[in-house]
Amino acid sequence: GAVVSQHPSWVICKSGTSVKIECRSLDFQATTMFWYRQFPKQSLMLMATSNEGSKATYEQGVEKDKFLINHASLTLSTLTVTSAHPEDSSFYICSARVDRVDSGNTIYFGEGSWLTVV
Amino acid sequence: KQEVTQIPAALSVPEGENLVLNCSFTDSAIYNLQWFRQDPGKGLTSLLLIQSSQREQTSGRLNASLDKSSGRSTLYIAASQPGDSATYLCAVLSNDYKLSFGAGTTVTVRA
């Protein structure tokens, strides 16, 4: 079945540094991918919609200069948390929408990435 | 803006009991509704996906219903087991292809 790979699963970084998280669709093409953030005991909140070959669309309240999204190919989107601070510590998870017309708008999720900023 | 609500927030039952998890959404213009399972510190596992034209989906001990007009879905888990302990999330795919999640129902099945 379709699989979305997210890497790294866990990352600890120092405050002020940048961290890149990758999201890959392994056996399907995904023009559109999504990035979510989940704080402890809360639900997933959509951060941005990543579109291959064009700029990402950010949700209200999400700083686009802080959370850089690049969707350079039909199978890869990256999220870079720039100048990370402890309050950015969270669970980040991506999803990819299958491009096939007959997919029924199926969306698959990655395993998520735990970011801890110290 | 789509709002998704899940009730109850937490549920604790003895092994063998049936589970009923509720999800409601405010905008009925949806493509589909999906139920996920999330274990602590883990990602999401898709359980059932119901297209907007469907009324229910079944997989093993799981059954999910969808009443789009009233903005409701229910996930039934029959004969619960301790391995069913997890957080269950309901998510609605709206016409703009954005998924809106509920806050989840945390289920504990006691052996």
Side-chain angles (χ1 to χ4, degrees):
Chain A
V3 175
V4 174
S5 172
Q6 197 169 331
H7 176 80
S9 300
W10 300 82
V11 57
I12 300 174
C13 71
K14 290 185 177 181
S15 185
T17 62
S18 296
V19 174
K20 181 186 285 187
I21 301 171
E22 293 186 347
C23 179
R24 293 181 185 273
S25 58
L26 296 185
D27 57 0
F28 64 94
Q29 292 184 333
T31 301
T32 305
M33 295 186 178
F34 304 88
W35 287 96
Y36 295 82
R37 179 169 55 185
Q38 184 181 34
F39 291 108
K41 299 189 183 299
Q42 296 186 26
S43 190
L44 284 78
M45 297 299 296
L46 179 65
M47 298 175 64
T49 302
S50 172
N51 302 296
E52 187 269 338
S54 64
K55 292 183 179 180
T57 304
Y58 291 82
E59 295 299 302
Q60 191 173 8
V62 177
E63 300 175 59
K64 60 181 180 181
D65 294 331
K66 180 170 184 60
F67 299 100
L68 300 179
I69 291 173
N70 184 279
H71 195 152
S73 76
L74 289 173
T75 58
L76 174 64
S77 175
T78 60
L79 169 69
T80 301
V81 183
T82 63
S83 188
H85 291 284
E87 57 266 30
D88 297 324
S89 299
S90 184
F91 182 64
Y92 293 86
I93 191 167
C94 72
S95 67
R97 186 164 69 93
V98 181
D99 275 356
R100 290 197 323 270
V101 174
D102 61 348
S103 72
N105 295 309
T106 302
I107 295 177
Y108 294 96
F109 280 82
E111 286 291 306
S113 300
W114 283 99
L115 170 63
T116 301
V117 184
V118 298
Chain B
K1 181 186 174 186
Q2 181 75 266
E3 302 279 348
V4 182
T5 304
Q6 288 187 248
I7 294 173
L11 192 57
S12 178
V13 299
E15 183 176 4
E17 262 197 27
N18 297 331
L19 292 164
V20 180
L21 309 180
N22 297 297
C23 171
S24 62
F25 48 95
T26 55
D27 187 350
S28 61
I30 65 170
Y31 273 124
N32 60 45
L33 183 145
Q34 201 161 356
W35 283 93
F36 293 91
R37 170 184 171 137
Q38 186 176 33
D39 292 288
K42 301 288 187 181
L44 302 178
T45 301
S46 179
L47 299 174
L48 290 168
L49 184 151
I50 312 175
Q51 300 292 350
S52 62
S53 58
Q54 297 175 325
R55 299 283 293 183
E56 66 176 348
Q57 279 288 331
T58 299
S59 176
R61 294 184 294 111
L62 276 60
N63 173 276
S65 66
L66 173 64
D67 184 342
K68 196 175 76 165
S69 60
S70 67
R72 295 179 187 278
S73 176
T74 303
L75 176 66
Y76 300 91
I77 303 177
S80 61
Q81 302 168 358
D84 295 329
S85 298
T87 296
Y88 292 82
L89 297 171
C90 162
V92 172
L93 183 66
S94 299
N95 289 345
D96 57 2
Y97 300 115
K98 292 181 181 177
L99 265 177
S100 299
F101 283 84
T105 295
T106 299
V107 170
T108 303
V109 180
R110 308 185 302 271

